[in-house]
Amino acid sequence: MTINARGFFDIDQQMICNTALFLIITVIVCVLILTCIDQQKQIANIQTNPIIIVTDNTINDQKEAPLVSDQLYDIATNLVSNFPYKEYEQFSSKSQPTCAPFPDIYDLNYHNTYWQRFVPKSDVTFDIFGAYFDDRPKVGKAVIRFLTVSNVVNPKYKIYCQMWFENEVETVISEVTSYNLIWNQFYIRISDGTHVGHVITCPVPENMNKVPLAVSLVTDPCEKATNSFKVQNNRPENGIKKDFAVCVKGLDFLFDDLSISLVQFMEANFMFGVDKVITYNFGVHPNITKVLNYYMKQSTLELHPISLPANYPNEQFLRHMFLKNRHLLKILQELIPYNDCFYKNMHLYKYILLLDIDEVFVPTQGTNYKEMLSHINGNFSSLYAVNKIFVQNTDDVKFYAGIPNYMEMMQIVTVATNYEKPYIKNVKSFFNTEDLLSLNNHMPYECIGKCVKKELIDKIGQLHHYRKKCSYENRFNCNESKYSVRENKLFWRFKDEFISRTSKVLKELKLVQ
């Protein structure tokens, strides 16, 4: 500053600019620091991958006697069901053959917790998620299916399965007979370098006539494997399949409290005859965890942990952002839990439904799915319905008397007419467990023989999809959807029972007053 001729100070313009810039930078830094602190607090409150409910038999209550091997293996199996813990105990204690010895469970090529990596060539990887025994009548001879993700599309390498059977001394070797891509190349063409799902199949030798306890993939028949999987072979105790189960993709709702919507989804499906819901957990809001634990205690929900394969991020917050911003890769990885759920439950249920938690099939004929399907003529591989998108006009929200305001499956009764067209992205299906080889959340990819697809017409049943806001898929014409609508109150047929069931659970969990 300087003193002018009138005796006043001249203020340096540069000083004013520097001071203002300093203040602006200070404010921005403070905001960023406060935002980071707030995010860390939110992340700290997130429940990560709950899979078991701690009971009197788990580690926390073992205050006097140490856990024995069987107890440790039981806990480990609950956490990671595809690893052969008890099988390792059985086979490792025996004299090992020089050709194809049973692999040491501590030397396996683990990857991202729930996967194991198989490398048939230096630049080729298979991340394996599970192995399943398949002896369905249409298959003919029994086979093992491996569910994998590979960085090569439609590989053709000569590889082998090693199989270990109870009371058998020698390892059984079987050559892989097929690689089946879990993707439709006509939809979006995938090239090598993108990690995509495959089902790898190898036959069980006919003379064995039983289910192997553990299996591995190898490039040389006699080598010691670096992967090992318990064979999934879930069967009903009475030998009779139940009717319906619902599979839901990995839940990734770190900051969205969708607990009330989840209860509605669960109760709607149980009301219509679903026996069990099976889902996977990337990480959810604490209130959603409360709902999941409630249904697990009722034995009506199975919850499995999951991670992403390959080199994809698995730190929880980064993975959440990755799944939001890498849409194609997200779709490709959703196919793994869908197909894992199908193979784990194909011997237990007649039909599998793959749904999101804002969707539900609603019978027009009958009062449940079994009665509804009795109106379908002939057999099918998949019975699909076109999505009816129920949208809320946010400019003029009105609530119906006698229905809780939060109950969107009853309150939203306007359907977007510009979505009522048959298109693969707008359909969901009942999948016949006797027919399918691989599937996505809309349609089968491959069947054992010819895929028979039938449409569920409105006069028999409908598929309802409830939207309060635009999704990625309908972002381009979402605003139009809110005004191009017609009324549909089919679900009100079940209003009293649905409100009663849902309200009971929500009040018990203290999610509503």
Side-chain angles (χ1 to χ4, degrees):
M1 290 186 296
T2 59
I3 299 176
N4 61 23
R6 292 179 295 172
F8 295 104
F9 287 104
D10 277 336
I11 299 174
D12 191 330
Q13 297 296 321
Q14 184 64 42
M15 180 181 292
I16 294 174
C17 290
N18 289 342
T19 303
L21 182 61
F22 173 77
L23 291 172
I24 291 170
I25 293 173
T26 302
V27 170
I28 292 173
V29 170
C30 290
V31 170
L32 288 173
I33 291 172
L34 290 172
T35 301
C36 289
I37 291 171
D38 183 60
Q39 281 190 348
Q40 290 300 317
K41 287 180 179 178
Q42 290 188 62
I43 292 172
N45 288 328
I46 298 303
Q47 188 77 21
T48 61
N49 289 337
I51 180 62
I52 57 172
I53 303 168
V54 176
T55 68
D56 291 341
N57 296 320
T58 50
I59 292 175
N60 290 347
D61 294 312
Q62 303 295 325
K63 297 176 181 177
E64 297 181 4
L67 289 169
V68 297
S69 291
D70 283 349
Q71 291 172 301
L72 287 170
Y73 287 140
D74 285 342
I75 293 169
T77 300
N78 277 332
L79 290 169
V80 189
S81 63
N82 57 7
F83 290 173
Y85 295 100
K86 287 188 176 180
E87 290 75 9
Y88 166 72
E89 186 96 328
Q90 175 181 337
F91 289 107
S92 63
S93 62
K94 296 180 179 179
S95 176
Q96 292 292 313
T98 54
C99 177
F102 193 82
D104 191 315
I105 200 169
Y106 304 112
D107 293 335
L108 301 180
N109 192 352
Y110 297 107
H111 194 69
N112 295 352
T113 308
Y114 307 112
W115 305 73
Q116 295 178 48
R117 176 160 286 182
F118 169 53
V119 185
K121 293 180 64 177
S122 60
D123 58 344
V124 177
T125 61
F126 287 92
D127 286 354
I128 311 170
F129 192 71
Y132 319 86
F133 183 75
D134 187 357
D135 66 343
R136 289 173 291 173
K138 291 188 177 182
V139 174
K141 300 175 182 178
V143 298
I144 299 296
R145 313 279 191 194
F146 286 87
L147 184 57
T148 73
V149 166
S150 177
N151 63 343
V152 174
V153 178
N154 288 320
K156 303 296 181 185
Y157 308 111
K158 189 172 185 177
I159 61 176
Y160 301 87
C161 294
Q162 295 176 343
M163 305 180 187
W164 289 269
F165 293 84
E166 191 167 15
N167 300 323
E168 296 291 336
V169 176
E170 297 297 324
T171 307
V172 174
I173 310 297
S174 176
E175 186 175 340
V176 165
T177 54
S178 65
Y179 297 85
N180 296 89
L181 178 66
I182 311 176
W183 186 249
N184 188 339
Q185 289 284 57
F186 293 102
Y187 174 47
I188 296 177
R189 188 156 190 83
I190 301 297
S191 57
D192 289 354
T194 300
H195 291 84
V196 62
H198 292 80
V199 175
I200 297 177
T201 300
C202 51
V204 177
E206 291 185 62
N207 63 314
M208 299 311 300
N209 198 29
K210 52 185 174 181
V211 181
L213 298 180
V215 291
S216 300
L217 287 177
V218 292
T219 52
D220 183 273
C222 284
E223 72 176 286
K224 188 174 184 178
T226 57
N227 60 85
S228 182
F229 285 85
K230 174 183 177 180
V231 177
Q232 304 288 332
N233 183 39
N234 302 320
R235 302 279 173 160
E237 290 183 5
N238 62 1
I240 301 173
K241 285 187 178 185
K242 294 182 178 179
D243 290 320
F244 306 101
V246 171
C247 296
V248 180
K249 64 189 177 187
L251 302 178
D252 180 41
F253 303 117
L254 281 180
F255 306 114
D256 295 327
D257 182 3
L258 301 179
S259 54
I260 293 175
S261 297
L262 179 58
V263 171
Q264 292 178 75
F265 169 80
M266 299 292 284
E267 291 304 318
N269 278 286
F270 296 146
M271 181 174 69
F272 292 138
V274 168
D275 177 70
K276 183 167 285 190
V277 174
I278 303 98
T279 188
Y280 300 75
N281 190 11
F282 283 120
V284 294
H285 187 281
N287 282 346
I288 296 179
T289 297
K290 186 187 296 187
V291 173
L292 297 173
N293 285 338
Y294 172 85
Y295 285 109
M296 281 193 288
K297 288 179 181 178
Q298 308 295 321
S299 299
T300 53
L301 173 75
E302 278 184 21
L303 183 64
H304 299 280
I306 194 170
S307 62
L308 295 178
N311 57 347
Y312 299 140
N314 274 296
E315 187 283 320
Q316 195 173 53
F317 181 71
L318 185 58
R319 180 176 61 202
H320 173 75
M321 299 307 298
F322 175 84
L323 293 172
K324 284 177 68 72
N325 290 282
R326 294 289 185 267
H327 190 66
L328 175 60
L329 297 180
K330 174 179 179 285
I331 292 173
L332 289 172
Q333 302 320 312
E334 285 174 356
L335 300 175
I336 299 303
Y338 283 141
N339 283 273
D340 175 69
C341 185
F342 177 82
Y343 276 110
K344 281 178 177 173
N345 292 282
M346 63 184 175
H347 302 306
L348 295 173
Y349 296 96
K350 297 176 183 176
Y351 302 101
I352 298 287
L353 293 73
L354 306 188
L355 297 173
D356 295 332
I357 65 169
D358 54 2
E359 297 173 318
V360 63
F361 281 94
V362 180
T364 308
Q365 297 290 328
T367 59
N368 56 51
Y369 294 152
K370 188 172 184 177
E371 292 177 3
M372 182 182 77
L373 263 58
S374 70
H375 294 271
I376 304 298
N377 295 321
N379 296 322
F380 56 84
S381 306
S382 67
L383 178 69
Y384 69 90
V386 179
N387 247 322
K388 296 192 181 300
I389 307 293
F390 283 70
V391 292
Q392 189 173 62
N393 186 344
T394 52
D395 298 334
D396 183 25
V397 177
K398 65 177 180 178
F399 296 107
Y400 292 94
I403 301 173
N405 291 354
Y406 55 76
M407 207 167 282
E408 64 263 17
M409 284 190 175
M410 286 289 162
Q411 286 287 2
I412 303 177
V413 295
T414 47
V415 178
T417 56
N418 58 325
Y419 272 86
E420 295 183 312
K421 56 183 179 180
Y423 178 52
I424 189 169
K425 288 172 67 176
N426 290 349
V427 307
K428 291 294 177 74
S429 300
F430 286 77
F431 294 101
N432 186 333
T433 56
E434 291 298 320
D435 282 23
L436 272 65
L437 180 59
S438 65
L439 68 162
N440 65 22
N441 54 328
H442 303 292
M443 288 280 197
Y445 277 134
E446 273 190 87
C447 297
I448 305 163
K450 182 181 179 181
C451 286
V452 179
K453 303 172 186 177
K454 291 188 177 182
E455 183 177 359
L456 178 66
I457 58 176
D458 284 359
K459 69 178 184 180
I460 297 176
Q462 298 179 6
L463 172 61
H464 291 190
H465 192 163
Y466 296 89
R467 290 268 176 82
K468 286 185 177 180
K469 59 183 180 180
C470 298
S471 69
Y472 178 91
E473 290 83 357
N474 71 342
R475 65 197 185 282
F476 298 117
N477 55 356
C478 186
N479 288 329
E480 177 190 346
S481 299
K482 291 190 295 185
Y483 304 107
S484 177
V485 297
R486 64 178 179 81
E487 197 172 80
N488 182 327
K489 293 182 178 178
L490 174 64
F491 204 0
W492 281 21
R493 290 183 63 209
F494 310 95
K495 181 169 61 175
D496 293 342
E497 183 181 356
F498 179 74
I499 292 175
S500 173
R501 296 176 64 117
T502 305
S503 299
K504 175 180 177 294
V505 176
L506 291 172
K507 289 175 181 177
E508 188 172 337
L509 294 176
K510 296 181 171 56
L511 293 172
V512 299
Q513 298 297 321

